[in-house]
Amino acid sequence: ENGITRPKGYKVSFHYNSRVEDMHFGKTHPMKPWRLTLTKHLVLGYGLHYAMDTYEAVAAGKDQVRAFHDPDYVDFLAQVSPQTFADLCAMPRFAKYCPPKHENDTIDLGPFNLSTSAGADCPVFDGMSTYLFLYTGATLAATHQLTTQQTDIAVNWSGGLHHAHRGEASGFCYINDIVLSILDMLRYFPRVLYIDIDVHHGDGVEEAFQRQPRVMTLSYHRYGPYDETGHKFFPGTGDITDTGLKGTVGEHFALNVPIPSGIDDRQYKFLFEAVTGRAIEAFNPSAIVLQCGADSLGGDRLGQFNINIKQHGECVSFVKRTRLPLLILGGGGYTARNVARAWCHETALATDNVLPDAIPLDIVPRPEAFQNRAHGNGLLYPPFQRLHNNECKDADLEGMVKKIDT
Ligand code: ZLV
Ligand code: CA
Ligand code: ZN
């Protein structure tokens, strides 16, 4: 009676474990697992769980994580906590990964780019092992559903942590669940296309597959100097000329769409559909992984785009229309109420449901999170306009599409 129906002719599976919600990266850290709680409240409140097969995620095994990551790094992650950190660092096996200390360091870095100092990108926090292996387990279970053809679209909003490297954490990402998923997929699918609409460059995934012509990576991201000091927007890679490792079979299997700040819906739609459409045509993928980082939305605490939830969702719909096996993952997203709105809306799109636009406030345990005097309680609102000055010229964007096309 809530009007939610299962999609006709295909299946969607949803992978989640509420234990990821209790984590705190630190008081001032922008990554808030609380956004996943809000997302869950909306998804369940609207009744979208009736439209999918839902699975409670279990932790990934260390052996599974070793399929990409360095064995010493995996052992460290499996044991680390604020209590064990110092002792682990002192062990000869891990001490060799500790960088030398400099006198005027503001944060002291441990091994693998991890740190217990407040203000670190990749802090060591209580329960972090549990958190890492759970979001990874959810992505691997979702992947298994796809590779065994038990589902057509699999969703894990707690995954999509695209910056993690083989032996190092980076940018709030510790285990690269995306790389692990694609490695599994390559055993069943001839070619996998990875698409990344997080506002940051999907560097960890691109790097992992830079010699692999069976994986094409395509990232849309803010790129270029962003402040008075000329500092680059994190992680600083993903130039348009970066198309994969030169002189290897992987060359031409990476695509990057670097975007200035303030891009609006119309411009993003143009770029996304032109470039993604051409990539699908040329690469002819057998499956697609879509990282839906919600920090590309206007009003995000870290992002600098002016994209609305509706357009963010249209990227999902565009990819879904290929009817290829599809893995949908989360990623960044730092204005929690908007992250939850976007990912709930995209869960509805995945299951072919249309939700009433005003969030019924009685469906969520914390209605105040979705009530706003200025913007109301719409699911697709507030619309984000010109929060950042639009530095994107149509002619430049068209030039970019032409350049990528060659
Ligand atoms: O959304 O961070 O700029 C996927 C994702 O793509 C940096 N980090 C690096 C370079 C030197 N550090 C700065 C250290 C800052 C540490 C704490 C913040 C704290 C408060 C407010 C903002 C930040 C912050 N950190 C903003 N941008 C950064 C980036 C990392 C961005 C990762 C994006 C992850 C989940
Ligand atoms: Ca991106
Ligand atoms: Zn991001």
Side-chain angles (χ1 to χ4, degrees), residues 197-216:
I197 61 171
D198 189 289
V199 75
H200 298 97
H201 176 222
D203 59 345
V205 184
E206 177 182 316
E207 179 190 74
F209 295 112
Q210 57 185 341
R211 297 164 191 279
Q212 175 53 278
R214 292 172 57 206
V215 178
M216 177 176 275

Side-chain angles (χ1 to χ4, degrees), residues 103-403:
E103 262 180 46
N104 47 5
D105 279 354
T106 47
I107 55 170
D108 59 297
L109 268 189
F112 313 115
N113 196 31
L114 302 175
S115 173
T116 45
S117 313
D121 270 346
C122 300
V124 171
F125 54 89
D126 268 318
M128 80 178 252
S129 280
T130 306
Y131 164 77
L132 303 179
F133 286 84
L134 269 181
Y135 77 65
T136 304
T139 295
L140 293 180
T143 307
H144 181 78
Q145 291 296 311
L146 289 166
T147 57
T148 55
Q149 295 171 38
Q150 298 183 74
T151 197
D152 302 285
I153 301 179
V155 181
N156 170 26
W157 294 125
S158 66
L161 297 163
H162 58 181
H163 297 306
H165 300 286
R166 184 180 178 281
E168 198 177 86
S170 171
F172 320 161
C173 305
Y174 303 76
I175 295 176
N176 201 315
D177 58 307
I178 308 168
V179 171
L180 292 171
S181 167
I182 295 175
L183 287 172
D184 274 355
M185 287 191 181
L186 286 175
R187 293 157 56 193
Y188 302 88
F189 301 121
R191 286 172 308 280
V192 178
L193 173 63
Y194 172 67
I195 306 171
D196 184 319
I197 61 171
D198 189 289
V199 75
H200 298 97
H201 176 222
D203 59 345
V205 184
E206 177 182 316
E207 179 190 74
F209 295 112
Q210 57 185 341
R211 297 164 191 279
Q212 175 53 278
R214 292 172 57 206
V215 178
M216 177 176 275
T217 60
L218 165 56
S219 176
Y220 297 83
H221 44 268
R222 169 79 173 89
Y223 181 81
Y226 78 108
D227 63 13
E228 318 69 47
T229 66
H231 270 93
K232 283 190 164 183
F233 194 75
F234 186 84
T237 49
D239 193 272
I240 192 162
T241 57
D242 167 14
T243 55
L245 199 57
K246 304 269 179 290
T248 74
V249 290
E251 188 175 356
H252 307 306
F253 292 96
L255 289 178
N256 284 295
V257 187
I259 304 171
S261 64
I263 189 169
D264 65 25
D265 288 340
R266 183 185 58 80
Q267 293 171 323
Y268 198 90
K269 183 182 177 66
F270 165 74
L271 267 187
F272 184 84
E273 297 189 355
V275 177
T276 307
R278 277 293 288 132
I280 291 170
E281 206 176 279
F283 184 61
N284 187 214
S286 346
I288 299 181
V289 178
L290 178 59
Q291 196 268 23
C292 298
D295 47 6
S296 42
L297 294 173
D300 187 82
R301 180 171 161 199
L302 299 194
Q304 300 183 350
F305 290 169
N306 291 336
I307 310 299
N308 287 284
I309 291 170
K310 183 161 178 285
Q311 176 50 42
H312 201 268
E314 277 180 27
C315 298
V316 177
S317 298
F318 184 86
V319 171
K320 177 173 172 268
R321 282 199 288 275
T322 63
R323 296 174 168 265
L324 289 165
L326 175 61
L327 175 62
I328 295 181
L329 300 172
Y334 306 99
T335 301
R337 59 187 184 279
N338 294 335
V339 177
R341 285 176 160 110
W343 289 350
C344 173
H345 172 58
E346 288 162 14
T347 308
L349 292 174
T351 58
D352 267 352
N353 278 287
V354 179
L355 302 176
D357 190 54
I359 297 170
L361 293 173
D362 53 312
I363 66 170
V364 285
R366 296 282 197 104
E368 65 274 20
F370 299 105
Q371 244 165 345
N372 183 302
R373 214 172 307 159
H375 304 293
N377 63 333
L379 182 65
L380 303 189
Y381 292 93
F384 312 113
Q385 277 153 12
R386 294 205 153 266
L387 290 165
H388 296 277
N389 202 22
N390 191 345
E391 307 289 345
C392 297
K393 310 255 173 312
D394 283 359
D396 293 349
L397 302 182
E398 278 161 33
M400 234 155 50
V401 171
K402 285 220 179 70
K403 206 157 156 189

